[in-house]
Amino acid sequence: MTTGSARTRRAAGALIALLAAVLAVLGTAGTASAHGALDSTDPVQGSVVARQPSAVTLTFGEGVTLPAEALRVFDPAGGRVDTGTPDHVGGKAETARVALRGGLADGTYTVAWRVVSADSHPIGGAFTFSVGAPSASTVSAESLRGSTDTNGLIGFLYGTARLIAYAAFALLAGAVAFVLLCWPAGAAARSVQRLLVAGWVALLGSTVVLMMLRGAYEQGGGIAPPADPATAPAHVDLDERIYLVLAARLLLLVVSGVFLVLLVGQSGQPGPEETEQTDPEQPERSQARSRTRLRLAGLALAVGLSATWAVTNHSSEGAQVWLAVPVTALHLLAMAAWLGGLATLLSGLRDDLPATAVERFSQLAFVSVTVLVLTGLYRSWREVGTWDALFSTGYGQLLLVKVGLVALMVAAAWVSRSRLARLRATAGTPARVAVPAGAPAPDPVEPPEDPPARAALRRSVLAEAAVAVAVLVVTTLLTATSPGRNANAATAAAPGPAATDASRAPARTTTVRIPYDTGGTTPNAQGAATVDLVPAKAGGYAVRVSLRDAAGKPAEVPEARLAFSLPARDLGPLQVALRPDGAGRWTGTVPLALAGEWKALLTVRSSDIDMATSTRSFPLGQS
């Protein structure tokens, strides 16, 4: 066994052991807190309120940006009843509120919403609530489309530009890495220069297109402005952070253009043998220093460009942002070194690319794949959270497709490595020439490379590159898909059967007593609420609320609201749709599926002006 083979086996063994450890962590990971998902609404979705609210308020799991008409409210006939500009409640970025005009009639009202989550992606939806009693509604899907959907053409163009940006970054950064680390003389090759220019121009152009389309993408509008300027919204709150990041990317690309000129220019410098110097080693040392400076500058630019994705992606929100952002940037750099290097290798194989350059890239690709696997496992654990989400959510399923494609690339790379060994064997063994006895031995003759070996290597690299294109497409789709943890969190917060969890509460009734005092003078202004949480057969809990005044008699109040939150898991508040059930009594259901120290929030209104919210913490499902 050769020394190189032994090193490869040891590295592979260490990688397998590390993967096993990370997989063990992934297997025990819990669901992360909710991000980019709607946590609660006021009025509660699907609820019936006795009197019309003055405003509609939405609370999300993370800070959101409110584009034009982030909240629209329609009456049963389809007319708009919201008024004013949507804003944040008390400056809290995770809330969105819009006022309603007064004098609303009884019936069912539809709320359409569209916001931009902290990881830069528009999210939207719709729900209903009723005033007085439910009614039929004539609100059409077309009326809601501006909030719940992205314009088809805008979505296609924006997604295409994002895909081109990813591919261009991989091509540009990977080609530069190939030249600096594997084939310094390649900077003088026309084919490599064309790749560098193509990557730079494509990244520049796609960034400009993204800036132009961002406003329409956030607002859900079309390319053309409104036919009637008077109908255009006066308030347009766009996510300024995205524009700042795209502007920073453009600035980095300008500097990168200068860097590419220097990179190509240094390839034409004369070598030591062509320069008359008293010290023949001086030009060689000077070129070595110049090449080192170029490598450091190229690394700095690549890190800066990768950061423009990392700080606006899923890694920019949630747990361990301080670690997730650099890990994501490292993941992108490893992807670029591998995929962009493949394109450069494929181009170089058509020229006079030496076998030593292919061998260096093989080592670079091995390091890149190792980094991709390790950073990918961490990002999967963080973004998916559970094994169930890996198979049951769109994000998890796309991630599985990406894993499969990367596995295909690794298999193709293994074939390329074996063909590289054949190429080196045919190119690196000197040919012996028979000479008559006593004649001086001639210099060994280097045989020409085996054309079939080079052609076979080119075919396997081409197969890797083809799969790489599919990997880039799936990666782009992943960036536009809500992480699996979001889907799980939204499911946990939605009414319905409780999620299965190892810490699920045991089947016993929990009673919570919550005193209240609205500050009024009526007999029902002071008292206490008894909240019973009874495990339901379908999952979750049936809720029974009983209000009694200071004298112990049933307290009839105009309004009572109840919600629950789990601060330790950053979950809630989960609103309970309470239904009257006699004097001073209400019933409802709530999906409390996790054990922990919960907090109950009771809001009681004893008159038109007297209202107060009381809280009480209580353990649920803990031994």
Side-chain angles (χ1 to χ4, degrees):
M1 179 183 296
T2 64
T3 303
S5 177
R7 284 198 300 266
T8 301
R9 287 180 177 273
R10 286 196 295 270
L15 177 59
I16 292 173
L18 189 54
L19 291 181
V22 177
L23 285 172
V25 174
L26 178 61
T28 57
T31 304
S33 58
H35 298 259
L38 180 62
D39 279 356
S40 62
T41 65
D42 183 13
V44 176
Q45 51 184 325
S47 65
V48 179
V49 296
R51 300 182 181 181
Q52 79 150 85
S54 60
V56 171
T57 304
L58 279 65
T59 303
F60 298 87
E62 65 180 16
V64 296
T65 301
L66 306 181
E69 298 190 327
L71 291 173
R72 297 182 296 158
V73 186
F74 300 89
D75 62 20
R80 294 280 295 273
V81 296
D82 54 282
T83 180
T85 300
D87 61 0
H88 299 293
V89 180
K92 296 180 180 179
E94 66 273 15
T95 62
R97 176 183 60 187
V98 68
L100 302 179
R101 69 166 186 252
L104 298 184
D106 289 353
T108 297
Y109 291 79
T110 304
V111 181
W113 58 273
R114 181 184 180 85
V115 299
V116 180
S117 63
D119 58 10
S120 80
H121 298 117
I123 54 175
F127 68 93
T128 63
F129 69 92
S130 300
V131 176
S135 69
S137 176
T138 60
V139 178
S140 64
E142 187 66 29
S143 301
L144 304 180
R145 183 156 295 142
S147 287
T148 58
D149 299 322
T150 298
N151 179 275
L153 179 59
I154 291 294
F156 172 77
L157 294 177
Y158 193 86
T160 301
R162 188 160 47 192
L163 172 60
I164 293 174
Y166 270 114
F169 170 72
L171 180 61
L172 176 61
V176 169
F178 193 96
V179 169
L180 291 176
L181 301 178
C182 305
W183 191 25
R190 291 292 183 184
S191 59
V192 175
Q193 292 176 4
R194 285 194 293 268
L195 287 180
L196 293 171
V197 172
W200 186 83
V201 171
L203 185 53
L204 179 68
S206 59
T207 302
V208 172
V209 172
L210 288 173
M211 292 189 73
M212 294 174 61
L213 295 178
R214 183 66 198 184
Y217 179 69
E218 287 188 12
Q219 300 170 53
I223 294 180
D228 183 5
T231 63
H235 170 75
V236 180
D237 184 11
L238 299 176
D239 193 346
E240 296 179 358
R241 183 182 50 139
I242 304 300
Y243 287 96
L244 290 175
V245 169
L246 292 176
R249 188 184 298 172
L250 288 176
L251 180 60
L252 288 170
L253 284 172
V254 171
V255 179
S256 298
V258 178
F259 169 81
L260 293 179
V261 172
L262 296 175
L263 178 65
V264 174
Q266 66 90 27
S267 66
Q269 295 178 356
E273 67 283 355
E274 301 174 15
T275 307
E276 295 183 2
Q277 296 284 346
T278 56
D279 182 4
E281 296 184 357
Q282 180 68 23
E284 185 176 353
R285 288 197 297 266
S286 177
Q287 286 189 17
R289 287 195 297 268
S290 176
R291 189 172 296 116
T292 299
R293 287 193 292 267
L294 282 174
R295 287 174 177 173
L296 292 175
L299 177 62
L301 288 171
V303 170
L305 287 171
S306 67
T308 61
W309 278 279
V311 298
T312 58
N313 217 316
H314 300 311
S315 59
S316 64
E317 283 295 324
Q320 302 176 344
V321 173
W322 60 271
L323 179 60
V325 168
V327 166
T328 299
L330 186 60
H331 189 83
L332 289 172
L333 290 172
M335 174 202 70
W338 189 16
L339 305 189
L342 276 177
T344 313
L345 174 62
L346 186 61
S347 177
L349 286 173
R350 299 180 182 276
D351 297 326
D352 296 327
L353 178 67
T356 53
V358 184
E359 176 66 25
R360 293 190 192 111
F361 176 71
S362 178
Q363 298 170 358
L364 175 62
F366 177 79
V367 174
S368 299
V369 171
T370 302
V371 173
L372 277 172
V373 170
L374 296 180
T375 55
L377 282 171
Y378 169 75
R379 297 179 70 229
S380 300
W381 166 79
R382 183 178 181 272
E383 304 298 344
V384 178
T386 64
W387 287 112
D388 178 68
L390 189 62
F391 298 96
S392 62
T393 65
Y395 187 93
Q397 292 163 2
L398 280 174
L399 186 61
L400 289 175
V401 172
K402 181 178 178 180
V403 169
L405 291 173
V406 171
L408 284 177
M409 286 190 65
V410 171
W414 187 262
V415 174
S416 298
R417 188 175 181 85
S418 64
R419 291 178 175 177
L420 169 64
R422 177 184 171 188
L423 180 65
R424 287 181 61 83
T426 57
T429 305
R432 297 187 177 274
V433 180
V435 295
D443 293 334
V445 178
E446 295 287 345
E449 292 182 357
D450 181 14
R454 180 172 286 266
L457 178 60
R458 187 162 55 242
R459 286 194 298 270
S460 61
V461 172
L462 182 60
E464 284 185 74
V467 181
V469 173
V471 171
L472 286 172
V473 173
V474 175
T475 300
T476 306
L477 293 175
L478 280 171
T479 62
T481 304
S482 180
R485 53 175 163 76
N486 293 6
N488 270 4
T491 301
T500 301
D501 192 277
S503 59
R504 181 174 174 175
R508 66 168 179 265
T509 299
T510 299
T511 300
V512 184
R513 188 174 184 276
I514 309 175
Y516 71 90
D517 184 354
T518 65
T521 58
T522 56
N524 62 356
Q526 296 181 4
T530 300
V531 179
D532 293 322
L533 297 172
V534 183
K537 293 182 179 180
Y541 289 85
V543 180
R544 296 198 298 257
V545 180
S546 175
L547 261 61
R548 293 188 175 273
D549 58 22
K553 297 179 180 179
E556 296 190 26
V557 296
E559 182 180 9
R561 288 181 290 172
L562 181 65
F564 296 93
S565 63
L566 184 59
R569 299 291 290 271
D570 194 22
L571 182 62
L574 306 179
Q575 301 287 342
V576 182
L578 295 177
R579 299 179 297 274
D581 189 34
R585 296 196 307 271
W586 291 264
T587 61
T589 58
V590 63
L592 306 185
L594 304 178
E597 192 72 13
W598 285 84
K599 179 182 291 186
L601 301 90
L602 175 70
T603 300
V604 175
R605 181 166 61 85
S606 59
S607 67
D608 290 341
I609 59 175
D610 298 319
M611 185 171 67
T613 298
S614 304
T615 62
R616 178 61 56 93
S617 297
F618 64 97
L620 185 67
Q622 296 178 330
S623 56

